[in-house]
Amino acid sequence: MKINYILPLILTVVFGCTHAPRNPDSLSFNQVVQQIQSDIAQDKLLVSEDIHATRFYSHGRQTAKSILIIHGLHESPAFMHGFSQYFFDKGYNVLSLRLP
């Protein structure tokens, strides 16, 4: 993933597009989702199995709050699936980020 835009994407997903300052350069929720999906596709090329790549659980719309889950040392998003699914079931969009 390219670091120059991943932080703004994470902040946009976590805090929501409606909380970002309004300007012509701000991304819509759908644009953020498309970029995350593109990044996930690239991330899948870097891991031995797709289950270990970054995962995004989306309700298909912007939710009031979103959750960012980061795995621990020597783990992957696969180990955080239970937490991710729990928060997704509670109504949050969840990004389970894979760290190198």
Side-chain angles (χ1 to χ4, degrees):
M1 292 185 181
K2 296 178 182 168
I3 195 69
N4 61 343
Y5 62 83
I6 190 65
L7 183 59
L9 286 175
I10 290 170
L11 294 175
T12 302
V13 170
V14 172
F15 295 109
C17 295
T18 59
H19 300 293
R22 295 287 179 193
N23 65 51
D25 296 330
S26 35
L27 298 172
S28 71
F29 177 76
N30 290 334
Q31 290 171 318
V32 171
V33 169
Q34 288 174 351
Q35 188 62 59
I36 289 172
Q37 290 172 340
S38 172
D39 289 344
I40 290 172
Q42 290 177 6
D43 193 40
K44 286 181 179 182
L45 299 174
L46 302 174
V47 294
S48 58
E49 297 177 38
D50 287 353
I51 193 166
H52 298 296
T54 296
R55 303 184 66 81
F56 183 53
Y57 305 77
S58 175
H59 289 280
R61 59 176 168 71
Q62 184 175 343
T63 56
K65 294 184 180 179
S66 296
I67 305 292
L68 173 64
I69 296 180
I70 301 175
H71 62 80
L73 188 62
H74 301 293
E75 295 179 354
S76 77
F79 292 92
M80 306 307 286
H81 176 72
F83 290 113
S84 301
Q85 192 62 50
Y86 172 81
F87 287 115
F88 179 75
D89 292 343
K90 294 289 184 185
Y92 298 97
N93 287 327
V94 180
L95 178 62
S96 185
L97 187 64
R98 183 186 71 86
L99 298 176

